[in-house]
Short mmCIF file of all heavy atoms in Angstrom, two decimals:
data_model
loop_
_atom_site.label_atom_id
_atom_site.label_comp_id
_atom_site.label_asym_id
_atom_site.label_seq_id
_atom_site.Cartn_x
_atom_site.Cartn_y
_atom_site.Cartn_z
N LEU I 1 17.49 23.85 5.69
CA LEU I 1 16.89 22.53 5.91
C LEU I 1 15.42 22.55 5.45
O LEU I 1 14.74 23.57 5.60
CB LEU I 1 16.83 22.44 7.46
CG LEU I 1 16.03 21.13 8.06
CD1 LEU I 1 16.89 19.92 7.56
CD2 LEU I 1 16.01 21.21 9.54
N VAL I 2 15.10 21.46 4.74
CA VAL I 2 13.77 21.32 4.28
C VAL I 2 13.10 20.13 5.02
O VAL I 2 13.67 18.96 4.82
CB VAL I 2 13.71 21.03 2.67
CG1 VAL I 2 12.22 20.83 2.17
CG2 VAL I 2 14.38 22.14 1.99
N ILE I 3 12.15 20.35 5.69
CA ILE I 3 11.41 19.31 6.42
C ILE I 3 10.25 18.80 5.64
O ILE I 3 9.29 19.40 5.30
CB ILE I 3 10.95 19.83 7.85
CG1 ILE I 3 12.15 20.30 8.61
CG2 ILE I 3 10.16 18.66 8.48
CD1 ILE I 3 11.68 21.01 9.92
N ALA I 4 10.46 17.43 5.22
CA ALA I 4 9.43 16.78 4.41
C ALA I 4 9.19 15.41 4.98
O ALA I 4 9.25 14.35 4.18
CB ALA I 4 9.76 16.82 2.93
N THR I 5 8.99 15.21 6.26
CA THR I 5 8.96 13.95 6.98
C THR I 5 7.76 13.20 6.83
O THR I 5 7.66 12.00 7.09
CB THR I 5 9.28 14.17 8.42
OG1 THR I 5 8.26 15.01 9.07
CG2 THR I 5 10.60 14.81 8.68
N GLY I 6 6.69 13.91 6.44
CA GLY I 6 5.37 13.28 6.44
C GLY I 6 4.95 13.21 7.98
O GLY I 6 5.60 13.79 8.83
N PRO I 7 3.85 12.59 8.40
CA PRO I 7 3.42 12.59 9.72
C PRO I 7 3.93 11.48 10.55
O PRO I 7 4.45 10.47 10.09
CB PRO I 7 1.90 12.43 9.50
CG PRO I 7 1.79 11.47 8.38
CD PRO I 7 2.99 11.76 7.42
N ARG I 8 3.72 11.61 11.86
CA ARG I 8 3.83 10.49 12.80
C ARG I 8 2.40 10.00 13.07
O ARG I 8 1.47 10.78 13.22
CB ARG I 8 4.37 11.14 14.12
CG ARG I 8 4.57 9.86 15.20
CD ARG I 8 5.21 10.33 16.38
NE ARG I 8 4.43 11.22 17.32
CZ ARG I 8 3.51 10.80 18.13
NH1 ARG I 8 3.23 9.49 18.29
NH2 ARG I 8 2.78 11.57 18.85
N LEU I 9 2.31 8.72 12.98
CA LEU I 9 1.01 8.15 13.05
C LEU I 9 0.66 7.98 14.66
O LEU I 9 1.27 7.15 15.33
CB LEU I 9 0.97 6.75 12.46
CG LEU I 9 1.39 6.75 10.94
CD1 LEU I 9 1.43 5.30 10.34
CD2 LEU I 9 0.43 7.67 10.14
N ALA I 10 -0.18 8.73 15.11
CA ALA I 10 -0.56 8.76 16.55
C ALA I 10 -1.48 7.79 17.09
O ALA I 10 -2.68 8.16 17.56
CB ALA I 10 -0.92 10.18 16.93
N PHE I 11 -1.14 6.55 16.91
CA PHE I 11 -2.18 5.48 17.37
C PHE I 11 -2.48 5.62 18.92
O PHE I 11 -3.50 5.15 19.32
CB PHE I 11 -1.55 4.11 17.02
CG PHE I 11 -1.38 3.83 15.58
CD1 PHE I 11 -0.11 3.74 15.00
CD2 PHE I 11 -2.50 3.63 14.86
CE1 PHE I 11 -0.02 3.42 13.65
CE2 PHE I 11 -2.38 3.34 13.44
CZ PHE I 11 -1.19 3.33 12.87
N GLU I 12 -1.46 6.20 19.63
CA GLU I 12 -1.58 6.19 21.12
C GLU I 12 -2.85 7.14 21.46
O GLU I 12 -3.29 6.98 22.64
CB GLU I 12 -0.40 6.73 21.74
CG GLU I 12 -0.13 8.24 21.64
CD GLU I 12 0.45 8.69 20.26
OE1 GLU I 12 0.68 7.83 19.48
OE2 GLU I 12 0.58 9.89 20.10
N GLU I 13 -3.38 7.87 20.58
CA GLU I 13 -4.49 8.68 20.99
C GLU I 13 -5.86 7.99 21.05
O GLU I 13 -6.75 8.47 21.59
CB GLU I 13 -4.60 9.93 19.98
CG GLU I 13 -3.40 10.85 19.93
CD GLU I 13 -3.73 12.13 19.29
OE1 GLU I 13 -4.60 12.29 18.56
OE2 GLU I 13 -2.85 13.06 19.51
N VAL I 14 -5.88 6.79 20.53
CA VAL I 14 -7.13 5.90 20.68
C VAL I 14 -6.57 4.58 21.23
O VAL I 14 -5.88 3.75 20.53
CB VAL I 14 -7.80 5.72 19.41
CG1 VAL I 14 -9.01 4.58 19.62
CG2 VAL I 14 -8.36 7.02 18.84
N GLU I 15 -6.90 4.22 22.53
CA GLU I 15 -6.46 3.00 23.18
C GLU I 15 -6.80 1.83 22.35
O GLU I 15 -7.89 1.63 21.87
CB GLU I 15 -7.13 2.96 24.58
CG GLU I 15 -6.64 1.72 25.33
CD GLU I 15 -7.37 1.69 26.70
OE1 GLU I 15 -8.13 2.61 27.02
OE2 GLU I 15 -7.24 0.60 27.31
N GLY I 16 -5.84 1.01 22.19
CA GLY I 16 -6.00 -0.35 21.53
C GLY I 16 -5.94 -0.26 20.00
O GLY I 16 -6.22 -1.31 19.26
N SER I 17 -5.70 0.92 19.43
CA SER I 17 -5.65 1.05 17.94
C SER I 17 -4.22 0.79 17.45
O SER I 17 -3.16 0.83 18.19
CB SER I 17 -6.11 2.29 17.51
OG SER I 17 -5.20 3.42 17.86
N GLY I 18 -4.21 0.45 15.99
CA GLY I 18 -2.98 0.33 15.38
C GLY I 18 -2.50 -1.10 15.22
O GLY I 18 -3.05 -2.00 15.78
N PRO I 19 -1.51 -1.28 14.33
CA PRO I 19 -1.16 -2.69 14.09
C PRO I 19 -0.60 -3.44 15.17
O PRO I 19 -0.45 -4.70 15.30
CB PRO I 19 0.04 -2.45 13.00
CG PRO I 19 -0.28 -1.16 12.32
CD PRO I 19 -0.91 -0.35 13.47
N ASP I 20 -0.06 -2.76 16.31
CA ASP I 20 0.27 -3.35 17.56
C ASP I 20 -0.86 -3.54 18.46
O ASP I 20 -0.72 -4.12 19.58
CB ASP I 20 1.50 -2.59 18.13
CG ASP I 20 2.75 -2.59 17.33
OD1 ASP I 20 2.89 -3.59 16.63
OD2 ASP I 20 3.50 -1.58 17.41
N GLY I 21 -1.90 -3.07 18.00
CA GLY I 21 -3.27 -3.27 18.87
C GLY I 21 -4.16 -4.14 18.14
O GLY I 21 -3.92 -5.23 17.73
N HIS I 22 -5.44 -3.53 17.85
CA HIS I 22 -6.37 -4.31 17.24
C HIS I 22 -6.96 -3.81 15.90
O HIS I 22 -7.98 -4.41 15.36
CB HIS I 22 -7.60 -4.35 18.19
CG HIS I 22 -7.23 -4.92 19.52
ND1 HIS I 22 -6.77 -6.25 19.84
CD2 HIS I 22 -7.14 -4.34 20.80
CE1 HIS I 22 -6.46 -6.37 21.03
NE2 HIS I 22 -6.78 -5.27 21.68
N THR I 23 -6.27 -2.78 15.37
CA THR I 23 -6.77 -2.25 14.04
C THR I 23 -5.57 -2.26 13.12
O THR I 23 -4.46 -2.24 13.45
CB THR I 23 -7.34 -0.88 14.09
OG1 THR I 23 -6.29 0.06 14.51
CG2 THR I 23 -8.56 -0.77 15.10
N GLN I 24 -5.89 -2.27 11.77
CA GLN I 24 -4.91 -2.24 10.74
C GLN I 24 -4.74 -0.78 10.24
O GLN I 24 -5.57 0.13 10.46
CB GLN I 24 -5.34 -3.15 9.58
CG GLN I 24 -5.59 -4.61 9.98
CD GLN I 24 -4.44 -5.27 10.76
OE1 GLN I 24 -3.26 -5.12 10.23
NE2 GLN I 24 -4.67 -6.08 11.70
N SER I 25 -3.69 -0.56 9.48
CA SER I 25 -3.38 0.68 8.87
C SER I 25 -2.80 0.36 7.40
O SER I 25 -2.21 -0.59 7.17
CB SER I 25 -2.34 1.45 9.66
OG SER I 25 -1.62 2.44 9.00
N ILE I 26 -2.96 1.45 6.52
CA ILE I 26 -2.34 1.43 5.24
C ILE I 26 -1.49 2.54 5.03
O ILE I 26 -1.28 2.97 3.86
CB ILE I 26 -3.53 1.20 4.16
CG1 ILE I 26 -4.50 2.34 4.28
CG2 ILE I 26 -4.13 -0.14 4.20
CD1 ILE I 26 -5.51 2.38 3.19
N CYS I 27 -1.06 3.13 6.02
CA CYS I 27 -0.28 4.50 6.00
C CYS I 27 1.14 4.21 5.51
O CYS I 27 1.87 5.19 5.15
CB CYS I 27 -0.38 5.24 7.35
SG CYS I 27 -2.08 5.70 7.72
N ASN I 28 1.68 2.99 5.68
CA ASN I 28 3.06 2.79 5.10
C ASN I 28 3.05 1.26 4.62
O ASN I 28 2.17 0.52 4.95
CB ASN I 28 4.16 3.07 6.09
CG ASN I 28 4.10 2.29 7.39
OD1 ASN I 28 3.85 1.01 7.42
ND2 ASN I 28 4.30 2.94 8.57
N ILE I 29 4.12 0.96 4.07
CA ILE I 29 4.19 -0.36 3.27
C ILE I 29 4.23 -1.52 4.50
O ILE I 29 3.52 -2.62 4.25
CB ILE I 29 5.38 -0.49 2.48
CG1 ILE I 29 5.42 -1.90 1.74
CG2 ILE I 29 6.72 -0.21 3.15
CD1 ILE I 29 4.36 -2.14 0.81
N ASP I 30 4.83 -1.33 5.62
CA ASP I 30 4.91 -2.35 6.62
C ASP I 30 3.43 -2.50 7.16
O ASP I 30 3.07 -3.68 7.34
CB ASP I 30 5.77 -1.91 7.75
CG ASP I 30 7.29 -1.88 7.36
OD1 ASP I 30 7.63 -2.54 6.43
OD2 ASP I 30 8.06 -1.10 8.04
N HIS I 31 2.73 -1.53 7.32
CA HIS I 31 1.37 -1.64 7.91
C HIS I 31 0.49 -2.29 6.83
O HIS I 31 -0.44 -3.14 7.17
CB HIS I 31 0.79 -0.31 8.29
CG HIS I 31 1.50 0.25 9.43
ND1 HIS I 31 1.25 1.54 9.97
CD2 HIS I 31 2.40 -0.24 10.32
CE1 HIS I 31 1.94 1.84 11.02
NE2 HIS I 31 2.62 0.74 11.26
N ALA I 32 0.64 -1.97 5.53
CA ALA I 32 -0.11 -2.56 4.54
C ALA I 32 0.08 -3.99 4.47
O ALA I 32 -0.81 -4.79 4.15
CB ALA I 32 0.08 -1.85 3.13
N GLU I 33 1.29 -4.48 4.67
CA GLU I 33 1.61 -5.85 4.51
C GLU I 33 0.88 -6.58 5.73
O GLU I 33 0.39 -7.72 5.47
CB GLU I 33 3.11 -6.07 4.57
CG GLU I 33 3.89 -5.76 3.23
CD GLU I 33 5.28 -6.12 3.26
OE1 GLU I 33 5.90 -5.94 4.31
OE2 GLU I 33 5.74 -6.48 2.17
N LYS I 34 0.95 -6.00 6.95
CA LYS I 34 0.24 -6.56 8.00
C LYS I 34 -1.27 -6.66 7.82
O LYS I 34 -1.98 -7.66 8.13
CB LYS I 34 0.50 -5.74 9.30
CG LYS I 34 1.84 -6.06 10.05
CD LYS I 34 1.85 -5.47 11.42
CE LYS I 34 2.84 -5.99 12.28
NZ LYS I 34 2.83 -5.44 13.69
N ALA I 35 -1.74 -5.63 7.16
CA ALA I 35 -3.18 -5.63 6.80
C ALA I 35 -3.56 -6.81 5.77
O ALA I 35 -4.62 -7.48 5.96
CB ALA I 35 -3.70 -4.35 6.17
N TRP I 36 -2.63 -6.99 4.87
CA TRP I 36 -2.83 -8.17 3.92
C TRP I 36 -2.76 -9.46 4.64
O TRP I 36 -3.60 -10.40 4.34
CB TRP I 36 -1.70 -8.14 2.85
CG TRP I 36 -1.59 -9.29 1.98
CD1 TRP I 36 -0.33 -9.84 1.70
CD2 TRP I 36 -2.48 -10.00 1.29
NE1 TRP I 36 -0.53 -10.98 0.83
CE2 TRP I 36 -1.80 -11.03 0.46
CE3 TRP I 36 -3.88 -9.87 1.11
CZ2 TRP I 36 -2.53 -11.86 -0.31
CZ3 TRP I 36 -4.55 -10.67 0.26
CH2 TRP I 36 -3.93 -11.80 -0.39
N GLU I 37 -1.96 -9.60 5.60
CA GLU I 37 -1.83 -10.87 6.46
C GLU I 37 -3.19 -11.05 7.11
O GLU I 37 -3.74 -12.14 7.15
CB GLU I 37 -0.75 -10.78 7.44
CG GLU I 37 0.60 -10.86 6.97
CD GLU I 37 1.66 -10.64 7.90
OE1 GLU I 37 1.35 -10.60 9.22
OE2 GLU I 37 2.84 -10.54 7.53
N ARG I 38 -3.81 -10.07 7.83
CA ARG I 38 -5.08 -10.14 8.38
C ARG I 38 -6.13 -10.46 7.41
O ARG I 38 -7.09 -11.15 7.67
CB ARG I 38 -5.35 -8.79 9.11
CG ARG I 38 -6.67 -8.88 9.96
CD ARG I 38 -6.68 -9.93 10.93
NE ARG I 38 -8.01 -10.08 11.59
CZ ARG I 38 -8.52 -11.25 12.01
NH1 ARG I 38 -7.77 -12.38 11.89
NH2 ARG I 38 -9.66 -11.40 12.57
N TYR I 39 -6.05 -9.69 6.27
CA TYR I 39 -7.09 -9.97 5.24
C TYR I 39 -7.14 -11.45 4.78
O TYR I 39 -8.31 -11.89 4.62
CB TYR I 39 -6.85 -9.00 4.05
CG TYR I 39 -7.95 -8.95 3.06
CD1 TYR I 39 -9.22 -8.50 3.28
CD2 TYR I 39 -7.70 -9.50 1.68
CE1 TYR I 39 -10.21 -8.49 2.30
CE2 TYR I 39 -8.68 -9.46 0.73
CZ TYR I 39 -9.87 -8.97 1.02
OH TYR I 39 -10.90 -8.95 0.07
N GLN I 40 -6.00 -12.01 4.62
CA GLN I 40 -6.07 -13.43 4.18
C GLN I 40 -6.61 -14.33 5.31
O GLN I 40 -7.29 -15.26 4.96
CB GLN I 40 -4.58 -13.89 3.99
CG GLN I 40 -3.84 -13.17 2.68
CD GLN I 40 -2.49 -13.64 2.58
OE1 GLN I 40 -2.12 -14.67 1.91
NE2 GLN I 40 -1.57 -12.77 3.18
N GLN I 41 -6.52 -13.89 6.56
CA GLN I 41 -7.21 -14.69 7.61
C GLN I 41 -8.65 -14.61 7.52
O GLN I 41 -9.38 -15.69 7.62
CB GLN I 41 -6.63 -14.22 8.93
CG GLN I 41 -5.11 -14.49 9.19
CD GLN I 41 -4.58 -13.80 10.49
OE1 GLN I 41 -5.36 -13.07 11.13
NE2 GLN I 41 -3.28 -14.00 10.76
N ILE I 42 -9.19 -13.42 7.27
CA ILE I 42 -10.70 -13.34 7.24
C ILE I 42 -11.19 -13.93 6.00
O ILE I 42 -12.36 -14.22 5.90
CB ILE I 42 -11.18 -11.92 7.50
CG1 ILE I 42 -10.84 -11.04 6.34
CG2 ILE I 42 -10.62 -11.36 8.87
CD1 ILE I 42 -11.68 -9.71 6.32
N LEU I 43 -10.42 -14.01 4.90
CA LEU I 43 -10.82 -14.66 3.71
C LEU I 43 -11.19 -16.24 4.03
O LEU I 43 -12.03 -16.79 3.37
CB LEU I 43 -9.86 -14.65 2.56
CG LEU I 43 -9.63 -13.27 1.93
CD1 LEU I 43 -8.51 -13.33 0.87
CD2 LEU I 43 -10.98 -12.81 1.32
N GLU I 44 -10.51 -16.78 4.99
CA GLU I 44 -10.75 -18.12 5.42
C GLU I 44 -11.89 -18.20 6.40
O GLU I 44 -12.53 -19.28 6.48
CB GLU I 44 -9.43 -18.66 6.06
CG GLU I 44 -8.25 -18.75 5.14
CD GLU I 44 -8.38 -19.69 4.07
OE1 GLU I 44 -9.00 -20.71 4.24
OE2 GLU I 44 -7.96 -19.39 2.95
N LYS I 45 -12.15 -17.11 7.13
CA LYS I 45 -13.16 -17.24 8.10
C LYS I 45 -13.96 -15.80 8.00
O LYS I 45 -13.58 -14.93 8.69
CB LYS I 45 -12.65 -17.35 9.49
CG LYS I 45 -13.70 -17.57 10.62
CD LYS I 45 -13.05 -17.67 11.97
CE LYS I 45 -14.15 -17.81 13.08
NZ LYS I 45 -13.46 -17.85 14.43
N PRO I 46 -15.06 -15.76 7.29
CA PRO I 46 -15.79 -14.55 7.02
C PRO I 46 -16.37 -13.87 8.33
O PRO I 46 -16.62 -14.59 9.28
CB PRO I 46 -16.94 -14.97 6.08
CG PRO I 46 -16.45 -16.26 5.50
CD PRO I 46 -15.60 -16.88 6.53
N GLY I 47 -16.42 -12.54 8.30
CA GLY I 47 -16.93 -11.78 9.40
C GLY I 47 -17.09 -10.36 8.99
O GLY I 47 -16.63 -9.92 7.92
#
């Protein structure tokens, strides 16, 4: 057996973090797409 899984993203270690919380991630394609959605929103409303 060769284990080459990559990591588990432990968002639970910081309360409120992660794409299901209040921060974005670019660690996988699903998260990067969510970040792009958020980025488009702030392009409309700077901050």
